[in-house]
């Protein structure tokens, strides 16, 4: 209950419940606690043997509901990707294209850097698992980005346009 109360206070103050993993609130490791809750959420889909091996208890429905009511995201990376995609959509609507400059910041987020990372992840699709330094983009993510007009090889596109 104490940790849940600290999470409530964090959310009221910060406007979200995505506590950084190393965050300490009132001398308590709130970020680590939330990371553990996310693991317990995942454990709901594991077998008893997996839970025992990974030393994780499954979260109850009531705990899930309470944390979701505060806006806890279970898959932080997926939520971050969606937030950045939304910023890219807004950029495209405003600018008429999706060729975000590398240093561009949108709403306090490094959108240009994020798009550059997506291009790197696109190129990783053609590499073997051993050669990859980043995870490859899914087919769905590629389709969504292409629907906004994202170009994968910016230099080639620019050359073609100028020629």
């Amino acid at each position: 209950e104490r940790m849940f109360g600290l999470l409530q206070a964090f959310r009221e103050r910060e406007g979200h419940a995505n506590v950084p993993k190393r965050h300490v609130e009132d001398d308590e490791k709130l970020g680590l606690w939330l990371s553990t809750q996310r693991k317990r959420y995942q454990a709901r889909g594991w077998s008893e043997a997996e839970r025992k091996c990974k030393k994780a208890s499954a979260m109850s429905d009531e705990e899930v509901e309470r944390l979701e009511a505060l806006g806890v995201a279970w898959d932080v990376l997926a939520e971050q990707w969606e937030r950045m995609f939304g910023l890219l959509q807004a950029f495209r609507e405003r600018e008429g294209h999706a060729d975000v400059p590398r240093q561009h910041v949108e709403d306090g987020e490094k959108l240009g850097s994020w798009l550059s990372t997506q291009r790197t992840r696109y190129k990783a699709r053609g590499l073997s698992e051993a050669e990859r330094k980043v995870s490859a983009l899914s087919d769905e993510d590629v389709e969504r980005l292409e629907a906004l007009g994202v170009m994968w090889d910016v230099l080639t596109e620019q050359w073609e346009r100028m020629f």
Side-chain angles (χ1 to χ4, degrees), residues 94-147:
R94 184 181 68 246
E95 303 296 330
H97 63 82
D99 189 16
V100 182
R102 181 141 169 74
Q103 300 300 318
H104 182 75
V105 174
E106 185 89 4
D107 245 7
E109 299 283 354
K110 296 177 180 178
L111 183 61
S113 178
W114 177 81
L115 185 55
S116 178
T117 298
Q118 303 318 300
R119 288 183 175 119
T120 300
R121 292 181 65 211
Y122 176 82
K123 290 173 188 163
R125 292 164 55 95
L127 303 174
S128 70
E129 288 288 329
E131 294 173 310
R132 289 182 188 166
K133 293 183 176 146
V134 295
S135 63
L137 272 179
S138 68
D139 291 343
E140 179 187 348
D141 290 344
V142 169
E143 288 175 20
R144 292 176 69 194
L145 290 166
E146 287 179 345

Side-chain angles (χ1 to χ4, degrees), residues 31-79:
L32 188 59
W33 176 81
L34 185 55
S35 180
T36 301
Q37 302 317 300
R38 288 186 174 116
K39 184 177 178 182
R40 292 183 61 223
Y41 177 82
Q42 288 177 329
R44 292 165 57 96
W46 299 343
S47 69
E48 199 60 46
E50 283 178 298
R51 285 197 290 263
K52 188 174 182 179
C53 180
K54 295 178 181 182
K55 298 178 182 171
S57 62
M59 185 176 279
S60 71
D61 290 344
E62 180 187 347
E63 289 172 309
V64 170
E65 289 171 16
R66 290 179 72 200
L67 290 170
E68 286 180 346
L70 290 181
V72 168
W74 302 117
D75 186 341
V76 179
L77 294 178
E79 183 180 271

